[in-house]
């Protein structure tokens, strides 16, 4: 393609559908795979032999997906262009013994996943979603997308100190949601309810990975509807943009092999078989080289020429807390994607990486902004430095500026998602 395709607000409409359909990492990769299938990609199993023929393929592993497109005539040493992202978000996850309660209330025992803004989960109607594992080892997705759970906040009449001292939540005692009434709490009640919801026989489920989600749908916000409020933008916004960009370049003849790598477990350190610090990405890239008849030398040449854009949400300047931001770096919503920089390598961006991203944005006619943390505030991190260090490939940290990161409901500008997707297309095309 001489001119990369440009997305518009229709992309943001589709993002809203993607967020709604993806209440867990397992649903997110299923939603991504469905979109890629429509673009001509096909799933390959890690246990099968792979071929190196032209076309799009993807691998699913738990809550992670890696997809790539092999252009016609691609040599074994052809470098990769990778969009990296993650599928998980902070939330409340169900414990191994979920059935609990007290004083006539039936409750569900939960554990805190990642670093959520705990107060954002109070007095909110919550559904329950995730993955059920059956006796034969197969899995089934489940999504109770209706008001099922609620974490009720203590009334101010019973805690007058809240007004003066602020809300203080004990993660063990104060975050247990209610889901019914009754003094007879029986082990197995929640799983039996989910078996019925999924149309499964009683006693069929022997394992589960379940989490809460807000059932309030994404919505345009503001006088002119220039803002988007919704759940799990960190980081399904980037996953969705990466899927759209990869599907857009499939069928062309880019000088690189375009790749999407969406990992799980970023919010708690990425150290798992589906996380960025695991072997999944390296295994897929190496097998792609070898499937095209490559050698270890070809693998080394391909990795040496590879670039990864690690796309994750970042902080827009907050009008009520502007002093918390760097005084000369104030990313604004609808100002285009952000380039994240930290000289202590909490982000992987360096000057040459900036040039790669700047070139992609220029080609796509997309503005971009720079983000750096206030020196007095600790800086977060992403899969970027992990990817760079584990695989020895140049990595650049980018994303979209949002407010309320790690809340049950976050806020971005309506134009930034499609501006990001347009920039990713230009990057993947080289």
């Amino acid at each position: 393609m001489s001119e990369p395709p440009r997305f518009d607000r229709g992309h943001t409409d589709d993002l809203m559908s993607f967020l709604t359909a993806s209440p867990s990492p397992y649903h997110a990769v299923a939603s991504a795979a469905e979109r890629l299938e429509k673009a001509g990609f096909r799933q390959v199993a890690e246990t099968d032999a792979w071929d190196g023929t032209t076309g799009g393929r993807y691998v699913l592993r738990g809550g992670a997906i890696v997809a790539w497109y092999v252009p016609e005539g691609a040599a074994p040493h052809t470098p990769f262009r990778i969009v990296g992202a993650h599928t998980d978000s902070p939330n409340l996850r169900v414990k191994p013994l979920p059935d609990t309660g007290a004083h006539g209330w039936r409750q569900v025992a939960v554990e805190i996943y990642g670093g959520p803004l705990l107060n954002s989960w109070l007095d909110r109607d919550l559904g329950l979603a995730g993955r059920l594992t059956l006796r034969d080892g197969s899995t089934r997705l489940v999504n109770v997308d209706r008001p099922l759970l609620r974490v009720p906040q203590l009334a101010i009449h019973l805690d007058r100190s809240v007004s003066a001292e602020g809300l203080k939540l004990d993660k063990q005692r104060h975050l247990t949601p209610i889901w019914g009434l009754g003094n007879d709490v029986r082990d197995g009640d929640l799983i039996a309810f989910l078996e019925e919801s999924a149309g499964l026989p009683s006693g069929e489920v022997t394992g589960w990975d379940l989490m809460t989600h807000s059932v309030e749908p994404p919505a345009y916000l503001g006088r002119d509807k220039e803002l988007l409020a919704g759940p799990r933008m960190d980081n399904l916004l980037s996953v969705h943009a990466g899927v759209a960009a990869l599907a857009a370049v499939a069928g062309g003849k880019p000088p690189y092999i375009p790749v999407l790598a969406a990992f799980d477990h970023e919010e708690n350190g990425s150290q798992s078989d589906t996380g960025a610090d695991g072997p999944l990405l390296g295994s897929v890239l190496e097998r792609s080289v070898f499937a095209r008849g490559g050698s270890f030398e070809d693998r080394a040449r391909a990795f040496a020429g590879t670039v990864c854009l690690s796309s994750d949400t970042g902080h827009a300047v907050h009008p009520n807390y502007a002093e918390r931001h760097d005084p000369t770096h104030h990313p604004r919503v609808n100002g285009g994607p952000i380039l994240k920089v930290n000289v202590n390598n909490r982000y992987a961006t360096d000057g040459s990486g900036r040039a790669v991203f700047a070139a992609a944005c220029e080609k796509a006619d997309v503005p971009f902004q720079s983000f750096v943390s206030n020196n007095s505030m600790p800086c977060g991190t992403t899969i970027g430095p992990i990817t760079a260090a584990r695989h020895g490939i140049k990595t650049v940290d980018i994303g979209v500026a949002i407010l309320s990161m790690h809340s049950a409901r976050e806020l971005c500008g309506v134009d930034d998602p499609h501006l990001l997707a347009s920039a990713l297309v230009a990057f993947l095309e080289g």
Side-chain angles (χ1 to χ4, degrees), residues 45-255:
E46 293 184 80
T47 53
D48 291 344
W50 293 1
D51 64 66
T53 55
T54 300
R57 299 167 179 80
Y58 67 90
V59 165
L60 295 181
R61 183 191 289 185
I65 182 171
V66 181
W68 66 102
Y69 177 77
V70 179
E72 185 178 354
H77 61 269
T78 301
F80 301 92
R81 281 284 175 104
I82 305 168
V83 173
H86 67 88
T87 61
D88 59 319
S89 302
N91 54 23
L92 311 178
R93 302 205 171 186
V94 175
K95 288 183 175 180
L97 299 176
D99 298 293
T100 186
H103 306 290
W105 295 100
R106 300 181 70 185
Q107 297 175 275
V108 175
V110 295
E111 192 172 4
I112 311 302
Y113 178 82
L117 285 171
L118 295 178
N119 61 292
S120 72
W121 291 88
L122 301 179
D123 296 329
R124 189 180 293 276
D125 296 338
L126 304 175
L128 198 61
R131 179 178 66 174
L132 302 174
T133 302
L134 311 186
R135 288 189 176 277
D136 62 2
S138 64
T139 59
R140 179 78 63 86
L141 297 183
V142 64
N143 181 14
V144 182
D145 194 30
R146 65 170 178 86
L148 178 70
L149 306 164
R150 186 178 179 92
V151 182
Q153 187 171 185
L154 184 65
I156 192 170
H157 312 79
L158 302 178
D159 186 8
R160 297 288 185 180
S161 66
V162 166
S163 297
E165 301 175 12
L167 180 64
K168 298 179 181 179
L169 294 172
D170 182 285
K171 293 180 180 180
Q172 179 63 37
R173 295 187 295 124
H174 299 153
L175 274 298
T176 306
I178 61 173
W179 76 302
L181 299 173
N183 291 309
D184 184 20
V185 176
R186 299 178 299 274
D187 289 340
D189 276 3
L190 179 68
I191 300 306
F193 166 76
L194 294 174
E195 286 174 332
E196 183 179 356
S197 299
L200 294 168
S202 177
E204 186 68 16
V205 173
T206 57
W208 51 88
D209 302 278
L210 300 166
M211 59 207 71
T212 58
H213 66 276
S214 171
V215 298
E216 185 181 2
Y220 289 117
L221 184 145
R223 184 193 68 179
D224 299 318
K225 298 183 178 180
E226 69 268 57
L227 300 171
L228 174 64
R232 300 178 295 281
M233 292 186 192
D234 178 17
N235 186 33
L236 294 187
L237 188 156
S238 295
V239 175
H240 177 258
V243 170
L246 182 61
V249 302
K253 294 184 179 181

Side-chain angles (χ1 to χ4, degrees), residues 50-52 75-77 80 282-300 302-303:
W50 293 1
D51 64 66
H77 61 269
F80 301 92
S283 173
V284 169
L285 299 184
E286 289 179 346
R287 291 184 68 176
S288 175
V289 170
F290 300 149
R292 283 174 280 121
S295 62
F296 181 82
E297 181 72 11
D298 292 313
R299 179 259 188 216
F303 277 44

Side-chain angles (χ1 to χ4, degrees), residues 378-416:
C379 179
T381 190
T382 69
I383 64 167
I386 295 172
T387 304
R390 181 169 181 82
H391 305 293
I393 58 180
K394 178 174 290 298
T395 305
V396 187
D397 274 297
I398 65 163
V400 162
I402 69 171
L403 292 181
S404 305
M405 187 184 296
H406 286 197
S407 172
R409 195 167 177 85
E410 298 160 324
L411 186 71
C412 75
V414 296
D415 291 325
D416 286 329

Side-chain angles (χ1 to χ4, degrees), residues 321-344:
Y321 301 91
E323 74 281 358
R324 301 296 183 97
H325 301 264
D326 182 83
T328 59
H329 293 77
H330 283 173
R332 300 191 176 193
V333 298
N334 287 335
I338 56 174
L339 179 75
K340 302 179 182 179
V341 178
N342 179 263
V343 295
N344 292 303

